[in-house]
Amino acid sequence: MAKMQGVKEKLHAPLYDAFHVSDKDPKKIFKDFMTDPRVIRFFVDVQGKTRLETNMQAAGVLPSLNTFEARALRVIVSNMRIAEKKKITPKGGAGGSVELESLAVTSESEILADLIYNSVISLIVGEKTMIEMPTFWFPSGAGISPGFPTVSNHGEPDPTATFRFAEPVFIESQQNFRVELAFPQGLPGSELSVDSPEKRLANVIGPLRIWVVLDGYLTRDVQ
C-alpha cells in the first residue's frame, strides 16, 4: 500500500528488547551470555530474537522515517527458580539426613537485588547520554500479583508505578540509540561457577529474561 505524502499518525507503541539467559545448555550461566563482562546493551543485538524478546526490526534504529518520543523507561525481570541441594532429616530421625535437590524460591529477591543495586542504566541517543541512574530508579510497572509470596518483582505490577521522564526524549529517524545496563564494580558473583552452592546474579542459570522497555509515542507515515 502506498504512503500518503505528508500525512503522519501518532500512536502509543512502546519499544522493547531483552537479554536472554537460555536454559538449553545447563552448563551456561548468566555471565556466559554477556558479550561484554561489565555491560549489557539493549536495542543493539536484535538478530535471531523472537517477538517475545524484541519488537525492533533493525539494530539501534527506528524503521523507515519513523520518529519516537520516549516518555518512560522500565526494567522487567522474569521470574526465577534457583535449584539447590538441601539436607533433610527424615521423620523420626532414623537413618541420618538425606540430600535432596529442591527448588529454592527464597534466593530470587537476593538475585534481583544483585541486579538493581549493582548496575546503572543509561539511555543513549546518538552519542549523547539522555538519562543515567542506578537500575533501581526504573521499576517495571509489570509482573505477577504481589499476592504470590514466592515471587519477587522489580516494583509493583501496575503500569503507573514506574519512573516517567520530566521531559520526553526524542529519537529522530535513522538516529542510533541504545540502552546500556552497566556493572561499574563488576558483575556480582562473577568469580562463582555454575556448580557453586552460593547463587548470585553471575551464576544464575536460565530461563531468565531482562527486558528494557522504552514507553512512548511512535510517529509514522500513514499507508
Side-chain angles (χ1 to χ4, degrees):
M1 188 180 292
K3 296 179 182 178
M4 298 178 65
Q5 295 296 324
V7 181
K8 301 277 188 180
E9 63 179 353
K10 187 176 183 179
L11 64 156
H12 186 189
L15 304 175
Y16 64 89
D17 190 42
F19 171 74
H20 182 204
V21 178
S22 174
D23 60 344
K24 291 182 179 179
D25 185 349
K27 294 183 179 179
K28 292 189 73 174
I29 54 180
F30 188 101
K31 63 183 178 182
D32 297 329
F33 288 89
M34 295 178 65
T35 54
D36 186 319
R38 284 182 177 264
V39 182
I40 300 172
R41 294 178 176 86
F42 295 87
F43 303 105
V44 175
D45 181 13
V46 299
Q47 298 301 316
K49 291 185 177 179
T50 67
R51 276 298 178 92
L52 178 62
E53 284 136 16
T54 190
N55 63 349
M56 293 288 291
Q57 298 177 25
V61 291
L62 299 168
S64 187
L65 298 178
N66 297 352
T67 61
F68 190 76
E69 183 181 316
R71 295 296 186 105
L73 192 154
R74 306 179 182 194
V75 179
I76 300 103
V77 183
S78 67
N79 188 227
M80 291 170 277
R81 285 294 179 269
I82 313 304
E84 67 175 16
K85 290 184 178 179
K86 290 183 177 179
K87 285 188 176 180
I88 299 174
T89 303
K91 225 172 186 183
S97 60
V98 180
E99 194 173 72
L100 298 174
E101 188 170 288
S102 62
L103 292 178
V105 294
T106 54
S107 299
E108 186 179 23
S109 60
E110 296 173 12
I111 292 168
L112 185 57
D114 270 351
L115 174 69
I116 67 173
Y117 297 124
N118 290 280
S119 62
V120 174
I121 287 279
S122 305
L123 170 58
I124 301 167
V125 179
E127 288 305 318
K128 184 183 290 185
T129 300
M130 309 306 292
I131 188 168
E132 186 173 73
M133 282 294 292
T135 303
F136 63 72
W137 197 253
F138 303 102
S140 65
I144 300 173
S145 168
F148 292 89
T150 61
V151 176
S152 297
N153 291 325
H154 175 30
E156 293 292 325
D158 178 352
T160 63
T162 190
F163 174 74
R164 303 189 67 82
F165 304 149
E167 296 292 337
V169 174
F170 292 96
I171 302 173
E172 302 296 335
S173 60
Q174 302 305 307
Q175 187 174 37
N176 290 315
F177 71 96
R178 67 186 184 274
V179 171
E180 292 186 353
L181 191 156
F183 297 90
Q185 296 182 335
L187 187 64
S190 55
E191 74 283 358
L192 301 174
S193 69
V194 68
D195 299 319
S196 173
E198 181 184 2
K199 292 302 173 187
R200 300 292 302 275
L201 180 64
N203 67 338
V204 164
I205 58 173
L208 172 66
R209 290 181 176 89
I210 301 172
W211 288 271
V212 165
V213 179
L214 283 176
D215 200 355
Y217 298 96
L218 182 75
T219 302
R220 66 184 181 187
D221 293 322
V222 174
Q223 294 184 345

